[in-house]
Amino acid sequence: MPDTARPPRRQPSRLGPTAVWGSIAFLALLTVAPLLYMVSTAFKQAKDVYTPDLIPGSPTLDNFRYIFSEIPILRYLFNSFLVAAVVTVLSLFFHSMAGYALARLKFRGRDTIFSGIYATLLISLPLIMVPLFLVAKTLGILDSYLGMILPAVFNAFGIFFLRQFYLSFPDDVEEAARLDGCGYWRIYWQVILPMSRPLLTALAVFFFLGTWNSFLWPLTIVQNPDLIPVQVGISNFQGQFSAAWNYSMAASTVAALPTLILFFVFQKQFTETIKTSGGR
Amino acid sequence: MTSGRRPLSQRGRETLAGYLFVAPSVIGMFVFLVLPMIASLTISFFRVSGFGDYEFIGLDNYRTLLSDPVFASSLKTTGLFTLAFVPTLFTVSLCLALLVKKQRRGIGLLRSLFFAPNVVSLVVVGLVWQFLLTDHVGAVNRSLERMGLSGESWLGNPRYALFAVVVISVWFFMGYYMIIFLNGLQDIPSAYYEAARLDGAGRWRSFWNVTWPLLRPTSLFVLVMTTLTAIGAAGIFDLIYVMTKGGPDYSTQVVMFYIYQRAFQLNDFGYAAAMAAVVSFALMIIMFVMLRITKGGKVDA
């Protein structure tokens, strides 16, 4: 581009800050509009479903009453909650143990093990679904809570994070504990874990949301109607009431609200996790 | 050397502790990730029924693949999806990051709003968009008509369905990558921008001369992650399962969805494993080429 196109030493014309802020806010609202529309439709009467208003003309709780009485959505929510909570706790426990050892202990093969763990980041569920199904079948955990939980626990993501974090720990804390005669388990349990609480909280939110929202694996292995998690439950529900969007949106709202609340409460920790994942 | 017993046993203890600490994760990852990955290749040489009968058939599954028009079209659809999804998502999330970069009042909330779709499950997202895109009466077509444009049957017409899936996926993922880009942008020292301004560079020039080159590691990360998402990850699957089931007329039948159908709806495990093996191999090559090219510096010369 020729330099003469622009008069030298002049700032490019600037939009007023308010105008910029206004347009960002407008875009942000446009982004969440589908979600607002979902919530709004959940409160609409069947005859008003296709009215364009965001605020329902005559709001009603009937849709929620209907889905709570006609489908076992509480059961679905409980299943999702149980699976997500157990996955989160087990993941944090095992990942922090591995992260601690890989960062702070010296042993043969450590770097090889770490590279191996890191390389598994490239393996994605759809690519291994068939053999994973067969593994689950062999272990006898098809159609069970354990079948939903165990394969979801083990991933390189948490180990990688926690290892990075433990690498930056100062030596003296651990040293002091060792001089007091603490073994490795005591150091991990009484020194390392308490010090990693902020990161563990952030990862917990991340794992909980991820498991709560997972669909493909439970869809594949769960048959028992009593074990169905909420994502699978509402996708079945859609088949039964295909055009009853007021019910469908009420069910979707119930499935999405816990995650949205969790996110807005812990947004800072949550975005920190994402930031570090793109770090390097 | 007179290495006494104490230091040696100390080292031994550290080693033992190390192994014990990593054991649960390593065993778990081996059983649930690595073993399936290896098994996938093995199973692809067998005809497997869902009930557990194995029959060795050599390369037959692969031979069938070559002449399976649905597999070919699913690869094409996956390619089209990736080519549309990756650059669009890259551009949109970078623009968003630049837009919300500056610290101002309430910017945290706005960033969170852009991110909000990403914390909702893709099942819910699929349901909501199906509702918004309903023919004739859906909110999207209503709004288009009010603006004097004509609505379409977005999910019902093979010409538009994949396009709709791309747009919705970008909407879903853009907040996530916005945050990644934001982090990359905040790592660029402001001194560079000041220097550029002193040299008389305008916004556009300082973007090309400062931001773009220094953002390269982040860009590369985003490129790799979004390609993985587009081709291999489960995310897109959920959306397609809920919204289109691969239709209409196979227009949204991406390869992952076809693998799932062959395996779990037709019990054709061996054939599905062969497809998964081909995709894994292709994915490895794509990643390799991508890293090669971007490291060669040809992309952002």
Side-chain angles (χ1 to χ4, degrees), chain B:
Chain B
M1 282 291 272
T2 52
S3 62
R5 276 176 72 179
R6 276 195 63 96
L8 234 171
S9 74
Q10 168 66 29
R11 230 184 108 191
R13 237 188 296 157
E14 186 160 349
T15 301
L16 183 67
Y19 289 147
L20 289 178
F21 273 108
V22 295
S25 297
V26 167
I27 294 170
M29 291 171 92
F30 182 79
V31 173
F32 296 112
L33 284 170
V34 181
L35 187 71
M37 195 71 193
I38 301 167
S40 189
L41 201 62
T42 318
I43 294 168
S44 71
F45 299 116
F46 286 82
R47 179 175 295 128
V48 190
S49 79
F51 308 103
D53 301 325
Y54 291 74
E55 182 197 345
F56 184 77
I57 53 166
L59 289 172
D60 271 11
N61 282 325
Y62 291 93
R63 246 171 249 134
T64 319
L65 269 185
L66 287 178
S67 55
D68 179 353
V70 182
F71 180 64
S73 101
S74 72
L75 284 184
K76 197 179 131 205
T77 306
T78 307
L80 278 177
F81 177 86
T82 311
L83 285 178
F85 173 77
V86 174
T88 313
L89 180 57
F90 187 96
T91 315
V92 169
S93 37
L94 177 57
C95 288
L96 275 185
L98 290 167
L99 207 59
V100 300
K101 183 182 129 187
K102 212 168 130 189
Q103 215 54 50
R104 27 176 138 231
R105 185 188 280 268
I107 201 71
L109 176 68
L110 294 181
R111 284 178 193 156
S112 300
L113 291 182
F114 284 118
F115 188 83
N118 202 260
V119 297
V120 173
S121 77
L122 274 153
V123 175
V124 167
V125 163
L127 286 172
V128 170
W129 277 99
Q130 225 182 352
F131 169 55
L132 295 175
L133 291 173
T134 314
D135 294 352
H136 309 301
V137 286
V140 170
N141 281 349
R142 281 265 174 98
S143 316
L144 286 176
E145 274 154 24
R146 205 174 306 158
M147 289 187 284
L149 301 160
S150 70
E152 293 287 345
S153 172
W154 299 107
L155 296 173
N157 185 335
R159 279 170 65 191
Y160 302 119
L162 190 66
F163 170 72
V165 175
V166 170
V167 171
I168 296 163
S169 314
V170 169
W171 170 79
F172 177 80
F173 285 103
M174 66 187 190
Y176 187 90
Y177 290 103
M178 172 194 82
I179 290 182
I180 299 223
F181 272 126
L182 203 57
N183 191 39
L185 289 173
Q186 282 161 350
D187 278 350
I188 300 175
S190 58
Y192 289 179
Y193 289 110
E194 278 152 32
R197 218 186 39 225
L198 286 178
D199 286 348
R203 278 195 186 174
W204 192 240
R205 277 285 285 277
S206 70
F207 174 79
W208 280 117
N209 294 341
V210 179
T211 313
W212 184 247
L214 289 174
L215 207 57
R216 225 180 100 178
T218 312
S219 303
L220 183 62
F221 177 81
V222 172
L223 222 51
V224 170
M225 292 305 293
T226 51
T227 308
L228 271 176
T229 306
I231 303 176
I236 315 296
F237 176 96
D238 301 1
L239 204 58
I240 287 174
Y241 183 94
V242 174
M243 290 203 311
T244 65
K245 299 266 194 300
D249 197 18
Y250 295 109
S251 60
T252 57
Q253 175 98 331
V254 292
V255 68
M256 286 308 162
F257 196 76
Y258 187 41
I259 294 177
Y260 173 82
Q261 281 188 323
R262 281 313 272 254
F264 296 104
Q265 285 168 4
L266 301 170
N267 272 328
D268 205 349
F269 280 14
Y271 191 65
M275 285 195 276
V278 169
V279 176
S280 309
F281 187 66
L283 205 55
M284 261 153 53
I285 293 179
I286 293 169
M287 286 298 144
F288 181 76
V289 170
M290 222 156 142
L291 292 172
R292 243 336 191 1
I293 293 178
T294 39
K295 264 188 195 141
K298 284 169 200 141
V299 158
D300 45 9

Side-chain angles (χ1 to χ4, degrees), chain A residues 5-274:
Chain A
R6 187 174 35 239
R9 285 187 167 269
R10 257 227 353 241
Q11 291 271 335
S13 69
R14 293 200 347 184
L15 285 162
T18 325
V20 175
W21 199 91
S23 30
I24 301 174
F26 175 74
L27 282 177
L29 279 178
L30 203 64
T31 303
V32 290
L35 301 179
L36 297 177
Y37 216 72
M38 164 186 82
V39 178
S40 133
T41 309
F43 289 99
K44 281 179 185 172
Q45 298 185 9
K47 62 179 172 55
D48 296 333
V49 157
Y50 291 115
T51 53
D53 330 312
L54 200 54
I55 309 289
S58 41
T60 170
L61 286 172
D62 282 352
N63 303 323
F64 293 100
R65 233 168 266 143
Y66 182 86
I67 59 161
F68 277 101
S69 63
E70 292 303 308
I71 58 168
I73 199 158
L74 276 176
R75 179 82 209 187
Y76 298 160
L77 291 169
F78 168 78
N79 292 335
S80 288
F81 180 82
L82 181 75
V83 170
V86 176
V87 166
T88 304
V89 171
L90 289 181
S91 302
L92 292 184
F93 183 54
F94 290 145
H95 294 184
S96 62
M97 273 169 63
Y100 164 63
L102 292 168
R104 318 258 354 159
L105 301 181
K106 289 187 191 65
F107 54 95
R108 254 178 80 188
R110 184 184 69 171
D111 296 339
T112 319
I113 292 175
F114 179 66
S115 318
I117 291 176
Y118 194 65
T120 62
L121 278 174
L122 277 176
I123 305 176
S124 71
L125 173 66
L127 291 175
I128 56 165
M129 220 166 34
V130 168
L132 188 59
F133 181 85
L134 296 172
V135 166
K137 195 175 164 188
T138 314
L139 293 177
I141 56 173
L142 285 184
D143 211 9
S144 71
Y145 284 124
L146 215 52
M148 285 189 267
I149 290 167
L150 283 180
V153 167
F154 300 101
N155 63 70
F157 186 76
I159 298 178
F160 179 68
F161 261 76
L162 287 151
R163 177 182 166 271
Q164 289 296 91
F165 181 62
Y166 295 147
L167 281 176
S168 67
F169 265 21
D171 280 330
D172 8 342
V173 191
E174 225 179 325
E175 209 58 52
R178 194 164 301 150
L179 285 178
D180 284 347
C182 289
Y184 295 106
W185 179 258
R186 287 263 310 268
I187 295 179
Y188 161 75
W189 192 252
Q190 292 185 345
V191 180
I192 301 288
L193 268 194
M195 280 176 80
S196 34
R197 196 168 291 158
L199 186 61
L200 290 179
T201 313
L203 280 175
V205 182
F206 211 78
F207 286 144
F208 189 89
L209 285 188
T211 318
W212 179 277
N213 286 341
S214 70
F215 172 67
L216 177 54
W217 182 243
L219 174 78
T220 308
I221 65 153
V222 174
Q223 307 280 316
N224 185 343
D226 284 344
L227 299 182
I228 289 178
V230 67
Q231 309 301 341
V232 178
I234 62 171
S235 93
N236 292 343
F237 176 76
Q238 170 214 20
Q240 296 165 40
F241 305 88
S242 51
W245 285 114
N246 49 326
Y247 298 146
S248 224
M249 290 300 103
S252 298
T253 303
V254 170
L257 224 49
T259 63
L260 285 166
I261 292 170
L262 201 62
F263 167 63
F264 278 101
V265 173
F266 288 100
Q267 49 174 305
K268 195 148 183 211
Q269 288 89 333
F270 195 73
T271 46
E272 279 308 310
T273 315
I274 297 170

